[in-house]
Amino acid sequence: SLDRYAAKGVYVSPVIDLAGETGAVRQLIKIEKSRVNWEVKIPEDCSAEIRVRLGNSPVVGALGWSDYIEVDDCIAVWDPPSGRYMQFEVVLRTANPLITPSLLSVSIESTLMEQQQHQTPFSFIRSKGIAVKVTKHCKHSFLERQASLKRK
């Protein structure tokens, strides 16, 4: 029956490290800039809202997480981001039981700078007092399981 469909669905992402690190957390990384792009298919009579929050810990709810803020035009840019970790949610809505909006992909591009640990007098002598910055550009994208409203 077409009158039994989900008019609204919410997808909440896992916590994502904007530095693109997997496995052990590397503490000495500073993110200079991040850009996140969501690809969403929005047919007529449908809508999608994207909200994102940032945090300093890979554990949601720990101190240092922001409230969700709405993303305009499916693109978010932080220069620099207020936290290393991101979580987003996408609210998908439809007024037509025959069509549904879909989250197709999310891509993240970050510019990273590796910070040095406190210098000892010996490392200061070796580097002649010059702070060495190692900057790398990291880009990763992933396709979330296609999030769309399912008919019940």
Side-chain angles (χ1 to χ4, degrees):
S1 167
L2 293 178
D3 60 337
R4 294 181 42 141
Y5 73 99
K8 173 184 167 185
V10 180
Y11 172 78
V12 179
S13 77
V15 173
I16 299 164
D17 185 349
L18 292 174
E21 296 294 319
T22 57
V25 176
R26 290 179 37 206
Q27 296 294 327
L28 301 174
I29 292 178
K30 178 183 175 194
I31 302 172
E32 292 186 338
K33 184 175 183 177
S34 280
R35 177 186 171 95
V36 183
N37 186 47
W38 290 265
E39 183 182 358
V40 184
K41 178 182 172 189
I42 307 173
E44 189 175 332
D45 294 331
C46 296
S47 66
E49 296 171 37
I50 301 168
R51 290 188 282 271
V52 64
R53 62 182 172 178
L54 299 170
N56 295 316
S57 166
V59 179
V60 174
L63 290 176
W65 275 87
S66 68
D67 293 329
Y68 278 109
I69 57 168
E70 194 157 332
V71 172
D72 295 325
D73 299 324
C74 298
I75 295 173
V77 178
W78 300 284
D79 191 5
S82 62
R84 175 176 170 169
Y85 301 94
M86 176 190 79
Q87 184 178 44
F88 67 89
E89 70 176 17
V90 180
V91 179
L92 303 171
R93 291 187 174 87
T94 183
N96 183 337
L98 299 176
I99 55 176
T100 180
S102 301
L103 172 62
L104 302 175
S105 69
V106 179
S107 61
I108 300 169
E109 187 174 347
S110 294
T111 303
L112 310 177
M113 182 175 67
E114 200 157 331
Q115 298 173 323
Q116 289 187 334
Q117 295 180 5
H118 282 343
Q119 292 190 349
T120 66
F122 299 108
S123 62
F124 181 78
I125 292 167
R126 277 197 312 266
S127 69
K128 298 181 184 164
I130 299 169
V132 179
K133 294 181 182 178
V134 178
T135 304
K136 77 173 187 175
H137 193 70
C138 112
K139 182 176 183 178
H140 61 278
S141 64
F142 55 93
L143 180 64
E144 293 288 342
R145 279 177 258 143
Q146 185 170 340
S148 60
L149 302 175
K150 303 287 185 199
R151 282 186 228 124
K152 294 183 179 186

